[in-house]
Every structure is written in C-alpha cells, then in structure tokens.
Amino acid sequence: GERLASRPGPHSTGETPTPYKSIASYNNFYEFGTDKTDPFEHAQRLRIQPWTLRVEGLVQRPRTFGIEELLRLAPLEERIYRLRCVEGWSMVIPWIGYSLEHLLKTVEPLGNARYVEFISATQSDTMPELRRRVLDWPYTEGLRLDEARHPLSLLVFGLYGEVLPKQNGAPLRLAVPWKYGFKSAKSLVAIRLVEKEPLTSWVKAGPGEYGFYSNVNPTVDHPRWSQARERRIGEFFKRETLMFNGYGDQVASLYNGMDLKKYF
Amino acid sequence: MKNPSPAAISAIKVFLFLLCLLPLAHLAWGAWQDALGANPIEFVTRSLGTWTLKFLLITLTVTPLRRLSGWHWLLRLRRMLGLYAFFYGSLHLSSYLWWDQFFDWSAIAKDILKRPFITVGMSAFLLMTPLALTSNAWAIRRLGGRRWQALHRSIYVIAILGVLHYAWLIKKDLFLPLIYFVLLALLLGIRAWWRNQERRGQQAGKYLTPRRGRIIPLVVRR
C-alpha cells in the first residue's frame, strides 16, 4: 500500500511484530464474512475515497472531518501494540496513528458526556454480509470517556509504515490494546459522545458472553472457553495471557474499586 | 451397478480407501507448503473436526442410499467409512490434546468438566470408540447380530453430539453447523419415517415381506 510517514511513538512493546502477511490475511471483519480469510478476499471492494468521520453528540463543536484533515490533525506515531483476540489468539502490530484524545479535545466534550460510541461503515453494495444479520449493523462499539481519552487509545491510519489495508479497517480504526480486539472498531464513520453506556453490537449479540468492558483478563473466562492462555500467531506453544494484555501499569487505575468479574 | 463382481467391489474399496485419505493428504501438503494461513494449528484442528463430521454423515448415508437405489453392495463400504470417521476423530482429538493443551492433563480435565462443547465432543469420541473396536466379523459373531446392531445405532447419538460440539464452539455465525444439522436431520428423519411406515403396516395386520433395507447381512462373505 501507500507509504505513511510516522515517527516512533511511546508505549511500544519490544516484542517482535507479527509478519505483515499474517496481520493482513487473518482478520475478523464480519461485514465481509465470518471466516478469517473472508476480509482479505472480499474487503478490497470497500470504497474508502472520499471518507468522512462525524464527531457528534455531547460536544461543544460537533463536526465532520475529511480523512485528509484527520491525517494532519496530530503527528503520526508508530506504536507497536499487542492485540489479543477474544477467540484466544494474539498478534503484535506496528500501528500508525495518534492518541484518540487529540481528536476528542478538538470537539470539546461537554460535562455530561460519559461514554463514547464508535460506529463503523455500512456499505451495502460492498459488504456482502450486511444482508445476513449475524450482528446488528452498523457495527457499534463503545468506551467510557476516560478510557477513550487514555493516551494508549489510538486512532489508527496505518500499519507497517503503510496506510491501513482495507481488511484491517481502512481508512481509520481504533486500537485499544488492553481490551479484546473486537473493541477496536474498524472503518469508522462516526464517533458519538453520549451520557449512557452504549449498547454495542457484541453485547447485543451475546450479553452473557461479551461485556461492555471486555478488558483482557485471564481470570475471567469466556463462558465457552478459557481465556488463560493465547496462541501468538506464528508460535507453536501457547503463552499465558496477561492481565489487561500486559498494559496493567498504565490502565489498571481506570478500574479501581470495580469488580471486573461483574463488569467483564 | 446392481451386482458388481467381487473383483469390482475390491477395486471400489481400494479406490474409496485412497479417496478417504485425501483430506489428510491435503492438510499435510498444505502444512508442507505453508499454505494453511496465519494460524495453521487452528486450521488443521478445525479441518480434522469437520472431516470427522462429514464421515459420520457419509456413513449414515449408506443405508438410505442402498434402500433407495437397491444397490445392496453399498453396505460393504460402510465399515470403512465409519472407521474413517473414527480415524479423523482420533486425529482431531489428538490435535486438541497436543497442540491446544500440550498434554496438561489437569487443564484437560477441567476443560472437559467446565466447557460444554468439550464435554460433548469428548462424549462423542468415547461413544465412537466401542463402535470402532467392534467393527469386525469376530465382534459381530461374539455379540450376535441384534446386540451388535443395537450398539452401532449409537452412531445416531454420536452424530448429534458431534454437530452440537461444532455449533457450540462457534463465536457467532451458525450457518455452517446448521447445514450439518439439516443434513443429519434428513438422514435420521428418513429412518424414522420408514420405521413408522413399517410399524403402521404391521398394525394394519398386513403380511409384509421384509423390506430390502431391513435385512442386514452382518457377516460379509469373503
């Protein structure tokens, strides 16, 4: 893909990044199919130009940004993050982007804004699975406002020095590295600040299996499988899954006094 | 095709034997060529599992197919197909024990007790084992045809558990397991329907010549 210049950013892991080929061919992007290889095969049709992002809801200055404008909003950084999927596999991905906070502060959230809702694109002519209601479309995710403003929460435009491949959520997506991968919504078209906890697509699909928080937590199993270990893509042996995916030093304080078994 | 010669049947058996090895050969080739995707271990485990289900369904197709076509010799292929279901099931189980759990027996025990889909999958495998062990003429003679047949009817339960095991591990999209479920329902449904027809025929007091499909030549002539 097209090159995307960036400078090294903070919070990068020293672990070896997963090969580009694996990152770009093993994806969950249900709008294009539920098989891991479907997004690579079908997402190439996604139209990403022109692309706009609405930032709306409880903000002082709601507005719509063009993708070019977003790319210039703050300096692009390379951040090498771990990604842990709720299915039990993980990767290390050199993302390019900047902290979501840069965007949020330009729209000035109001005092009663407590949550942020993220809405992904729905293109019925390029996304074959929208007709099958595997999930409730549009794909919707959410974070608490303090989570969204945490410096680790990244608005992503590229990986491996290039613009995002379509199957990875072009032209912009989230990367919230201490939560299961599905929290990091792809191909965003709207960000909405709200007062109440948003009902996300996965919570709607299975409230007993997928919680709003979905922090990576080896001590809280998915009802149908264990979350204690993970297979890092490219490795033979499984590894122990780390609390908050290894980002506990930075984020554990967000959840002081919360029962993480209840708010899973 | 109604009455192939013994030589023709032997040739068919050899051909079928090799054909049934193709899925395994395909996986081995893919592993060798590094063509199984980013997560080859998961791919192999899943693929061995779905082939187990496919062989269970194929095995269950023999009787209806024989009855509908009148090709009684098809029955002579059933044992091999059933044993292949067990073969792929054993490989599937081994891949879980080795590549998923690395023979951590306490974790495996916990998994079996705690995770319904593992419980169900493991039960299906355990139920399959006696069928594989009694898939020979000696066991049929020892057990007697009726008891042997009753035992081997547990394949119905095994197949149901197998499809349930598959459906239960899927994160969300139940489309593929549903296809297996529908095929299985057809295969079991047609048996139930035939049985019901026969029972009604008997209740009506009619003299029935035993239906072709109900005569089971258990000990196969060599």
Side-chain angles (χ1 to χ4, degrees):
Chain A
E2 203 185 315
R3 299 294 303 171
L4 193 60
S6 64
R7 60 182 193 191
H11 310 299
S12 281
T13 165
E15 291 162 274
T16 312
T18 304
Y20 178 88
K21 194 178 159 220
S22 299
I23 296 173
S25 65
Y26 191 77
N27 309 94
N28 280 320
F29 198 163
Y30 276 17
E31 287 85 335
F32 294 103
T34 51
D35 244 38
K36 287 286 178 305
T37 50
D38 282 337
F40 169 71
E41 284 162 25
H42 303 304
Q44 309 316 323
R45 299 170 58 204
L46 180 74
R47 271 175 279 106
I48 56 171
Q49 258 174 338
W51 193 277
T52 58
L53 175 77
R54 287 192 325 274
V55 187
E56 58 193 21
L58 303 173
V59 294
Q60 197 70 255
R61 305 165 181 278
R63 52 175 291 214
T64 297
F65 296 83
I67 186 73
E68 301 75 17
E69 191 182 355
L70 286 171
L71 280 163
R72 288 191 307 264
L73 193 74
L76 293 174
E77 297 169 350
E78 180 175 71
R79 303 227 197 145
I80 306 168
Y81 280 174
R82 288 179 288 276
L83 177 141
R84 168 64 156 81
C85 178
V86 72
E87 295 164 351
W89 53 267
S90 64
M91 293 184 178
V92 175
I93 305 182
W95 300 115
I96 296 174
Y98 49 74
S99 290
L100 177 63
E101 167 61 4
H102 289 298
L103 175 64
L104 292 176
K105 74 180 179 209
T106 63
V107 296
E108 298 173 30
L110 296 173
N112 56 343
R114 293 202 51 226
Y115 292 91
V116 189
E117 192 173 28
F118 301 90
I119 294 140
S120 297
T122 46
Q123 287 180 7
S124 49
D125 56 331
T126 68
M127 296 174 162
E129 298 294 297
L130 292 186
R131 269 170 286 132
R132 290 203 311 133
R133 308 200 58 84
V134 178
L135 290 173
D136 193 21
W137 313 115
Y139 190 89
T140 303
E141 258 309 331
L143 295 171
R144 223 167 53 194
L145 184 58
D146 58 340
E147 296 177 324
R149 304 193 90 155
H150 190 281
L152 275 177
S153 292
L154 199 67
L155 197 59
V156 172
F157 301 89
L159 60 83
Y160 261 116
E162 300 179 2
V163 296
L164 274 175
K166 291 179 175 177
Q167 61 274 25
N168 293 84
L172 83 159
R173 64 168 291 167
L174 280 181
V176 189
W178 72 94
K179 291 174 180 281
Y180 292 119
F182 67 87
K183 293 297 290 180
S184 299
K186 298 187 173 83
S187 303
L188 296 173
V189 294
I191 293 178
R192 192 176 296 145
L193 284 92
V194 294
E195 196 171 348
K196 294 214 168 66
E197 186 182 289
L199 198 51
T200 68
S201 291
W202 277 105
V203 171
K204 276 189 221 173
E209 301 197 328
Y210 308 99
F212 174 78
Y213 284 93
S214 289
N215 292 315
V216 175
N217 188 342
T219 67
V220 176
D221 288 339
H222 185 283
R224 289 181 286 144
W225 56 83
S226 165
Q227 294 293 22
R229 290 182 299 160
E230 66 199 48
R231 173 164 284 119
R232 177 71 51 85
I233 294 301
E235 292 182 355
F236 178 67
F237 290 104
K238 289 192 164 186
R239 324 173 147 235
E240 302 288 322
T241 287
L242 304 174
M243 187 64 204
F244 296 116
N245 203 19
Y247 296 96
D249 287 348
Q250 290 104 308
V251 302
S253 61
L254 292 170
Y255 310 101
N256 278 341
M258 267 177 78
D259 179 358
L260 296 177
K261 283 194 161 51
K262 186 176 170 211
Y263 298 99
F264 61 89
Chain B
M1 283 305 269
K2 254 201 145 51
N3 287 304
S5 67
I9 289 190
S10 296
I12 291 169
K13 277 189 174 177
V14 170
F15 176 73
L16 187 66
F17 181 85
L18 295 173
L19 192 68
C20 295
L21 279 174
L22 275 186
L24 186 63
H26 185 73
L27 284 177
W29 176 251
W32 175 255
Q33 294 290 309
D34 193 16
L36 300 180
N39 196 348
I41 293 178
E42 180 197 60
F43 186 90
V44 170
T45 304
R46 296 257 169 121
S47 183
L48 291 169
T50 49
W51 275 106
T52 308
L53 284 179
K54 283 172 201 163
F55 275 106
L56 281 170
L57 293 184
I58 294 168
T59 308
L60 284 170
T61 310
V62 171
T63 295
L65 200 62
R66 164 173 172 253
R67 189 162 163 164
L68 294 169
S69 65
W71 297 356
H72 300 299
W73 57 272
L74 284 175
L75 192 64
R76 299 178 61 180
L77 307 177
R78 191 171 65 177
R79 174 188 300 171
M80 194 201 296
L81 292 167
L83 283 171
Y84 263 112
F86 182 70
F87 173 66
Y88 280 98
S90 309
L91 292 178
H92 175 63
L93 173 64
S94 311
S95 71
Y96 162 76
L97 295 177
W98 182 11
W99 300 333
D100 210 64
Q101 300 292 341
F102 296 94
F103 305 114
D104 178 345
W105 299 107
S106 77
I108 292 165
K110 251 194 350 210
D111 227 19
I112 295 173
L113 294 174
K114 235 181 128 178
R115 322 254 166 240
F117 88 90
I118 301 275
T119 318
V120 161
M122 200 60 86
S123 319
F125 182 79
L126 289 180
L127 286 171
M128 245 201 290
T129 309
L131 307 201
L133 293 176
T134 57
S135 283
N136 51 71
W138 180 81
I140 296 168
R141 273 196 305 271
R142 273 304 291 263
L143 286 166
R146 259 175 203 289
R147 269 196 293 170
W148 184 89
Q149 213 184 351
L151 174 66
H152 280 247
R153 285 216 172 101
S154 58
I155 189 175
Y156 306 152
V157 179
I158 292 164
I160 292 169
L161 293 175
V163 175
L164 201 59
H165 168 65
Y166 182 31
W168 236 331
L169 77 90
I170 292 219
K171 195 164 69 165
K172 187 66 180 68
D173 187 3
L174 287 175
F175 183 66
L176 284 175
L178 202 64
I179 290 179
Y180 284 88
F181 181 76
V182 167
L183 291 175
L184 179 60
L186 283 174
L187 290 169
L188 298 185
I190 195 168
R191 287 171 163 82
W193 191 71
W194 277 333
R195 210 159 233 260
N196 193 31
Q197 292 287 93
E198 273 159 39
R199 202 164 290 155
R200 266 203 253 162
Q202 279 162 2
Q203 275 166 359
K206 276 186 264 169
Y207 175 76
L208 275 185
T209 50
R211 293 235 191 162
R212 303 187 293 216
R214 306 289 305 164
I215 310 167
I216 300 188
L218 286 170
V219 181
V220 175
R221 173 170 46 87
R222 295 276 146 188

